[in-house]
Amino acid sequence: MILAFWLSLGIVAFAYAGYPLAVAIRARLRPRPIRARAQTPRVDVLLVVHNGAAQLPAKLDNLLALDYPADRLRINVVCDGCDDASEALARGYPEDRVRVFAFAVRRGKSACIGAVLPRLDADIVLFNDVRQRVDADAAAALVAVLADPQVGAASGELVLLASNGYGQGVDAYWRYEKLIRRMESASGSIVGVTGALYAARRDAIPPVPAGVVLDDMWIPLGIAARGYRVVFVPQARAYDQASPDPASEEPRKRRTLAGNYQLLHRWPRLAIPGAHPLALRLWGHKWLRLLAPWLLLVALIASAWLAARGSLFYAALLALQLAAYGAALLGRWWPPLARRLLPVRLATAFLSLNSSAMLAFFDYLRNPHAHLWTTTRLEDATP
């Protein structure tokens, strides 16, 4: 039980502190600078929308205002089974700037991406989501990095706008996550991109099958498998609002974490060091975090067992664990406390992340096809 306790905590500590430290040291000792330069290749923006009429006009206006030559950038809107005014709104823009693909039956984002990619002919594909606003110079910043022949994909930075209470804990975790991405990028490659804003060489993008939840990991990992780097470009920014409470954040987080299990199921080589160029980084950054809630449970049980047998030391460690979980639960049930106390905010966000990882495992076991959509032929999309 002593071994189980310390081994469990040690692995969790490595996942959240040891791995970031390791990539930071590597970035310092063996940096891999990016040879960026200004360039203006043709860019196809790919924007998949499902019933996004309320946000689409502002998004298209935002993209059309990008600081990039108008004759070198085309926006492709893919309406995924929209039954609102999304398609009509998109078709109201000049055809030479905005091209529309419309699928009558909803099929999911990855299916739409996989179907439309073969219809694109620009050198660079810029992936975007409808909700987030992007900076005017975002496209130019990403494209400049892709001038380096070793770089196959470049991720922008998602900035979470100011929020209170639980949202501040999420924002703190996201800043920590972006710091890891900076270190990974400086020392080689990141393991996933920001789905709201990233660009890739069209000829390096792998086939994207229907039903993939995390296309923003499938695509860059496929590009990395072809020998390219995948890098982080903090100068290219997209903006979103942090979730205000765990109840609104957890469904999205559970779906994302279930997508990690799906990736391992569909592409087992991602877990085998040497079978994929980024397998070790995936273990440090992703897979150990999937194990973290189970390891924390083992540590709790082991310390309780040892405390019950008279160990005052492990009784104290058990009390510390219970206090941390208690603070997290208080922050969840009483949001004003999370707004006032930083440790409570962070504990609440940490508990939410790990409970979501545990529940996502059962979500995926219950239905590994929960995120698949009915597919149709590309000819069924109205161009």
Side-chain angles (χ1 to χ4, degrees), residues 241-378:
Q241 189 73 40
S243 298
D245 56 74
S248 59
E249 170 72 6
E250 285 179 3
R252 183 199 66 81
K253 180 58 68 177
R254 283 172 64 170
R255 183 178 184 276
T256 299
L257 290 165
N260 281 281
Y261 293 113
Q262 183 197 59
L263 273 177
L264 286 168
H265 187 180
R266 288 192 170 210
W267 199 351
R269 293 175 62 186
L270 294 176
I272 304 174
H276 186 279
L278 302 183
L280 287 175
R281 292 189 174 211
L282 282 164
W283 271 104
H285 195 155
K286 296 290 183 181
W287 309 150
L288 288 181
R289 294 191 195 180
L290 295 179
L291 294 175
W294 307 100
L295 295 170
L296 290 170
L297 181 61
V298 168
L300 184 66
I301 293 171
S303 58
W305 190 92
L306 293 165
R309 276 147 184 79
S311 172
L312 294 179
F313 176 69
Y314 286 99
L317 292 178
L318 175 63
L320 286 174
Q321 293 172 79
L322 293 175
Y325 290 125
L329 292 173
L330 277 175
R332 182 184 180 94
W333 292 332
W334 190 20
L337 185 65
R339 284 194 292 269
R340 287 198 295 266
L341 298 176
L342 175 62
V344 175
R345 287 200 298 272
L346 296 178
T348 303
F350 185 77
L351 179 64
S352 175
L353 173 68
N354 281 282
S355 62
S356 294
M358 183 176 285
L359 293 171
F361 175 71
F362 295 108
D363 291 342
Y364 191 65
L365 283 183
R366 276 196 303 270
N367 187 1
H369 306 293
H371 306 291
L372 294 176
W373 297 98
T374 302
T375 59
T376 56
R377 299 171 301 166
L378 179 59

Side-chain angles (χ1 to χ4, degrees), residues 8-89:
S8 298
L9 283 190
I11 294 173
V12 172
F14 178 79
Y16 286 101
Y19 174 73
L21 179 61
V23 292
I25 292 172
R26 184 179 176 88
R28 183 64 180 269
L29 298 180
R30 298 181 60 184
R32 295 186 62 185
I34 301 167
R35 293 173 289 172
R37 62 175 174 81
Q39 60 170 351
T40 55
R42 291 191 304 122
V43 174
D44 266 318
V45 179
L46 187 54
L47 180 65
V48 180
V49 178
H50 173 70
N51 289 348
Q55 299 163 316
L56 188 57
K59 182 65 179 187
L60 291 177
D61 291 342
N62 178 214
L63 292 173
L64 290 170
L66 289 175
D67 187 12
Y68 201 84
D71 61 341
R72 308 293 288 171
L73 184 141
R74 176 177 58 186
I75 301 168
N76 299 271
V77 178
V78 186
C79 294
D80 182 22
C82 296
D83 53 18
D84 64 355
S86 296
E87 181 181 351
L89 288 170

